[in-house]
Every structure is written in C-alpha cells, then in structure tokens.
Amino acid sequence: MRISVIVPTYKPQAYLWKCLGSLCRQTFDKSAFEIILILNGCKEPYYAQIKEYISANMSGCNVVLLQTDTGGVSNARNIGLDIAKGEYITFIDDDDYVSESLLEELYDKAS
C-alpha cells in the first residue's frame, strides 16, 4: 500500500459523498491506496448511510470504515494512523473534495 488517506467525519451531510467520490475517482492506481473513514462521536443513522454509500458507489476502492464513540478530529486521525498500511499518509477533511490527480501528484513529489 502506497498511500493511506484518513478522513475523519462527525454527523456528516451530503458533502461527504462529494469527498468520497473525489477520492474514488483518483488517477492513482486504486490498489495502491486506501481510504480510512472514521465516524467519530456518533453512530446512527450515519454509519448505515455511509456503509450503504460505500457499497453502492465505491466499487474498486479500498475503503475501511470505523466508528468510535469518542469524539474529536484528533482522536479520529490517531485511530486512522494506528491502522494505516500506507507508506505515506494524507489527511482529507470530510467537507473537502480533491482533484482527481491529487494522490498521483503527491506520490510523485514524495518519491
């Protein structure tokens, strides 16, 4: 695994779908990166909605969905860091969407 993308989220709205969509459309080899999505400080109905979205829209993307009752973006990022398999780590906020070449460009610069 070359890159782990850690995305913390709390009570997400529709902006999360735009974020996840932009990550899934990356030009970087999909088998070379993982998306670690951490739902922190809340659970339902968000967990079920996210799971459904991933199943319906993110085929071919390596997505790990975790949930913790402990809130806080820093806690969520640390949980992601603990399980990340990537050679490199990047953080994306749940209300951001990125260019389709972001991971490819970051990896090229880093290596």
Side-chain angles (χ1 to χ4, degrees), residues 20-21 23-24 35 53-63:
L20 294 176
L23 289 170
C24 203
I35 301 164
Y53 179 87
I54 291 168
S55 177
N57 299 287
M58 299 187 73
S59 177
C61 293
N62 296 313
V63 182

Side-chain angles (χ1 to χ4, degrees), residues 5-10 12-26 33 35-38 50 53-54 57-58 61 63 90-100 102-103:
V5 181
I6 299 173
V7 183
T9 190
Y10 172 75
Q13 301 298 312
Y15 52 76
L16 178 61
W17 314 142
K18 192 169 184 178
C19 173
L20 294 176
S22 72
L23 289 170
C24 203
R25 288 189 299 275
Q26 291 296 298
F33 74 94
I35 301 164
I36 303 172
L37 183 61
I38 301 101
I50 294 168
Y53 179 87
I54 291 168
N57 299 287
M58 299 187 73
C61 293
V63 182
T90 189
F91 298 103
I92 304 290
D93 289 335
D94 64 351
D95 61 349
D96 293 337
Y97 61 94
V98 298
S99 72
E100 294 179 2
L102 174 74
L103 296 181

Side-chain angles (χ1 to χ4, degrees), residues 64-99:
V64 177
L65 174 60
L66 301 172
Q67 187 276 333
T68 179
D69 291 332
T70 306
V73 69
S74 296
N75 180 60
R77 287 180 176 152
N78 286 331
I79 290 169
L81 284 170
D82 286 343
I83 67 155
K85 298 176 188 166
E87 175 184 353
Y88 297 101
I89 307 286
T90 189
F91 298 103
I92 304 290
D93 289 335
D94 64 351
D95 61 349
D96 293 337
Y97 61 94
V98 298
S99 72

